[in-house]
Structures are given as structure tokens and as C-alpha cells.
Amino acid sequence: MKKFIGLLKLEFRRIFSNSVLMAIFFGAPIGYGILFGYVYQQAKVKDLPIVIVDQDQSPASDKIIDAFEDNEGLHVFDVRAIPGDIINEMPVNQYVAVITLPTDFEKDLLQKKHPEVRVDLNMANILNANTASNHINTVLMTINAGIEIEGLKKQGFHPDQAKASYESFKINFNKLYNSTGNYVTFMLPGLLAAIMQQIIFLAMALAFSRDFEDGYFGKLVKESKSSIYHIGLKATPFLIMLPFMWFIISLLLTFFNVNLDLLNLPMLVLTTLLTFASMFIGMLFSIAIPSQLKATELLMVISTPAFILSGFTWPTSAIPELITNVAQFIPVTQFLSGFRKIAFYGGDLSSIGPEIRILVGIILGTLIAMVFLLQFKINRFDKKKN
């Protein structure tokens, strides 16, 4: 045990002597967490710039313009009588939509000619376009309903009767699970989990590959011929440091008011399994590839698209089955699937059973592969030396 503690102290010194690794390990979760937190701090997309081309300039068109100005999701950047060079202006000023109220708009309304309001959407950013489209549709449908009801009232209908005649049925949207549509609550935890997987991959990629390159592996073999002993030695420093990093992640989520129930047993189990699965994959690559650069490069190939392929933001049903099958064996895919069940749906351990089984399978599979591969390298090194 005394020998193990001595080697462990040496491992800590070797880890902390790598300034790049330390900057990534401690800096990435904190730096990216703060950066992404502030990016999504507004929680909703608001004040999207629109231009209104009012070719009618009537009381009816003024009423519509006022309604757009009262909508929190839209910002009326300009109101003009003629379009001008709107095609060239849109990329520069990033207008999300141009709304055109045609000539004789009010006159055609009164004559029941059903004038057409034209909406040109900027589809370069689909999220902004869809958000703006919903807000624009809400405003115009509300105005349209008001005009129809007023027309019925002028025909002699009682206000309640006019409203009932226009509204055949009511629609009531009840938003569940993140009812406010808060983007911080939706995006930040998932992004931070993907970042944590990535830094664990990077850190563990250097665990053995660095020893192979600088000859330290030979000194370790002198101390013990057991692969399990060396795996435990390499894993222990990170098992001490990683809970501290997860604690910082929890503080960041609290700081940015992520209103989710995350301090519970299912989340602890899921986080622990993600940590071990990521560590063991990184260590396996470190043993199999005796080059720090190549090991980190290959792990980045896995880690970089992991968040997109996880199905957290883009439905897996829209991704080819072959790709989704491969993505199932990336730890963060299972973590994010289980995270949604726990954090948003209030699930327990039984609800994340499939995710737990796959993560445990990844851990056991990589551990067995590590033990045999490292033992093979230890035996081969020992034979060469003798």
C-alpha cells in the first residue's frame, strides 16, 4: 500500500506537470459552462428584427403595426411605404422577416375581398425563422379574429354571440416539462455533459500513451506486473478530481437558474456511469495507441459529433439507423437520454434501466479489453527486457 501511495503521488505530479492538460481539465468545463450559460441566459429568443412594408397606410394597417410592436418576440426595425432594396438589406441587418401590407388593404377588408398579407421569412437561421413565424402568425390570426368578430357585431350580433359564431372551438395549449421554453434549462446541462465526456476522453488518452513515449512505463512494470494494479493507479487521481469538477458543474447550473431536480440518486448513478465509461474508453485508447497525439485525435473523432448524434436536440428518428446504432455506444448518448427522463419527466432508476445497462456494458467491455491488452504489453515488455 505504501508503494502504491508513493506511485500515486508521482502520478499526481506527472498530471499537474502537463499545463495543457490542466488547462483543459479545469478550464474547459468552467469556461465553456460560463460561456454557454450567458449565451442562453435570455432563456427565450426575443426581439427578432422585422420590417413592415405598409403600402396601404390606413388605420387598419396602423393597428396591425401596433400589434407587432407589442409582441415581445419581435422588434419592428423599420416601417416603410415601399420595399426598397430589401433583398440586399436583409443579410446586412439580419431581418428575420419582411411583412408586406398591400395597397387598398383596408378597403379590401371592408369589401370582404380577403386581401393577402405577404410574409417573407429569412430561412438562413431556421430557429429564428420558426420562432418569428409563430409570433407573426399569432399576431395576424388575433387581428384577423378581431376583424371578423367586429364585422359580425356590425351586422347586429351580440358581442358574445359574434365571438361564439367565429370561434367554433377553443384551443388551449398546456406546456409540460420546461413549460416556459427556457433555453438555459434545455441546452446547458446537455452541453456541459458533452464537454465533461470530452475532457475525460482527453485526460485519459494520456494515461498510458505518455508513459509509452517517455519510457516511464518500464519503471511502472518494475513495480508491478499486474495490469489491474496499473489501471487502478492511473484511474485513482481522476476519480479524486472528477467529483470536484462535477460539483463545479452543479454550481454553474444553480448560478444560471437551471430549474431541474438533479440532486437525486438516479442522477448520481447516471453521472457515475458516464464518468467510468468515459474514463475506460479513454484509457483503452491510451493503451492501444502508444502515441499521445494519435490517441487524442481518434478520441476527438468520437467525441466531437457525440452531442449531435445523441438525439438530445435532433430526433434520432431523422438520423440513419446505422449512425444511431453506433452512437448508442458513445457514453454521452445514454447519459443524455437518461438525463431527460430524470430531469424533465421525474423518472426513477427503473425508468433509466436501458441506459444503465448499456453504460454498464460499455464499462465492463472496455475494462476487460484494457486488462487483457495491458497485461499483454506488460508481458511483452518484460520478455524483451529479459
Side-chain angles (χ1 to χ4, degrees):
M1 188 64 183
K2 187 176 180 180
K3 182 174 68 173
F4 183 85
I5 293 174
L7 290 172
L8 188 60
K9 290 179 181 178
L10 187 56
E11 281 298 321
F12 271 110
R13 285 199 293 271
R14 285 174 62 81
I15 290 169
F16 281 95
S17 68
N18 190 329
S19 57
V20 175
L21 174 59
M22 287 297 96
I24 294 172
F25 189 83
F26 291 106
I30 298 171
Y32 282 126
I34 293 172
L35 174 64
F36 291 140
Y38 279 113
V39 165
Y40 295 107
Q41 188 179 33
Q42 185 174 268
K44 291 182 179 180
V45 179
K46 296 181 180 179
D47 297 323
L48 294 169
I50 63 170
V51 172
I52 300 177
V53 180
D54 183 8
Q55 297 177 336
D56 192 41
Q57 298 186 346
S58 64
S61 62
D62 289 342
K63 186 176 180 180
I64 292 177
I65 293 169
D66 290 341
F68 279 118
E69 289 177 340
D70 290 338
N71 187 285
E72 69 169 1
L74 303 171
H75 168 62
V76 180
F77 185 86
D78 188 24
V79 178
R80 59 182 70 172
I82 56 175
D85 193 12
I86 199 70
I87 296 299
N88 291 324
E89 285 182 47
M90 186 175 278
V92 175
N93 295 313
Q94 293 297 300
Y95 303 144
V96 74
V98 177
I99 301 163
T100 303
L101 304 175
T103 305
D104 297 329
F105 177 72
E106 185 177 60
K107 177 182 175 182
D108 290 342
L109 280 176
L110 296 173
Q111 295 179 0
K112 299 291 184 182
K113 290 185 178 180
H114 304 290
E116 180 181 287
V117 175
R118 175 172 170 169
V119 179
D120 295 298
L121 283 174
N122 181 352
M123 296 298 293
N125 186 318
I126 295 176
L127 173 62
N128 286 348
N130 288 339
T131 303
S133 177
N134 289 335
H135 285 298
I136 291 169
N137 189 57
T138 298
V139 170
L140 293 178
M141 290 298 291
T142 302
I143 294 292
N144 190 29
I147 292 171
E148 290 290 338
I149 291 170
E150 286 299 318
L152 291 173
K153 286 162 66 176
K154 289 178 180 179
Q155 295 176 23
F157 284 76
H158 186 274
D160 292 337
Q161 188 181 11
K163 186 177 179 181
S165 298
Y166 181 75
E167 274 191 340
S168 301
F169 58 88
K170 294 182 179 180
I171 302 172
N172 182 24
F173 287 97
N174 183 26
K175 297 180 180 180
L176 305 174
Y177 316 116
N178 192 16
S179 59
T180 60
N182 190 315
Y183 263 85
V184 173
T185 300
F186 170 57
M187 289 293 292
L188 188 58
L191 287 170
L192 289 177
I195 291 167
M196 284 299 293
Q197 175 185 259
Q198 190 156 341
I199 67 159
I200 294 171
F201 276 173
L202 284 172
M204 302 314 297
L206 308 180
F208 285 99
S209 59
R210 181 184 181 184
D211 296 347
F212 293 141
E213 286 186 341
D214 63 14
Y216 182 66
F217 182 69
K219 297 178 181 178
L220 290 176
V221 172
K222 288 180 181 179
E223 300 297 334
S224 174
K225 302 294 191 296
S226 170
S227 59
I228 296 176
Y229 179 91
H230 292 298
I231 290 170
L233 178 65
K234 294 293 181 181
T236 300
F238 295 98
L239 291 176
I240 294 171
M241 293 188 292
L242 282 169
F244 172 72
M245 296 309 302
W246 282 114
F247 175 70
I248 292 176
I249 295 297
S250 68
L251 292 180
L252 286 172
L253 295 177
T254 302
F255 178 78
F256 287 108
N257 299 315
V258 176
N259 188 23
L260 295 172
D261 181 19
L262 301 176
L263 301 177
N264 52 54
L265 179 60
M267 189 59 69
L268 175 62
V269 170
L270 199 62
T271 303
T272 302
L273 292 176
L274 170 67
T275 301
F276 276 99
S278 302
M279 285 179 61
F280 287 179
I281 289 175
M283 290 179 73
L284 179 60
F285 272 72
S286 179
I287 296 169
I289 305 168
S291 166
Q292 297 179 74
L293 180 60
K294 290 181 180 178
T296 52
E297 285 177 342
L298 287 171
L299 282 168
M300 285 304 95
V301 170
I302 297 173
S303 186
T304 301
F307 183 74
I308 297 172
L309 299 181
S310 68
F312 192 71
T313 57
W314 184 254
T316 53
S317 58
I319 302 174
E321 187 176 355
L322 177 62
I323 296 175
T324 57
N325 289 339
V326 173
Q328 296 304 308
F329 297 98
I330 301 176
V332 79
T333 299
Q334 301 304 324
F335 176 85
L336 292 176
S337 174
F339 171 85
R340 178 172 285 158
K341 293 177 181 179
I342 297 168
F344 289 102
Y345 304 147
D348 55 14
L349 281 173
S350 62
S351 67
I352 59 170
E355 289 80 8
I356 289 175
R357 285 191 289 274
I358 294 176
L359 285 171
V360 169
I362 293 171
I363 292 168
L364 293 177
T366 51
L367 177 60
I368 293 169
M370 275 195 295
V371 169
F372 281 100
L373 182 58
L374 183 58
Q375 194 63 57
F376 170 76
K377 291 202 170 189
I378 290 172
N379 295 339
R380 186 175 65 176
F381 179 87
D382 199 39
K383 286 181 180 178
K384 284 184 179 179
K385 185 179 178 182
N386 293 332

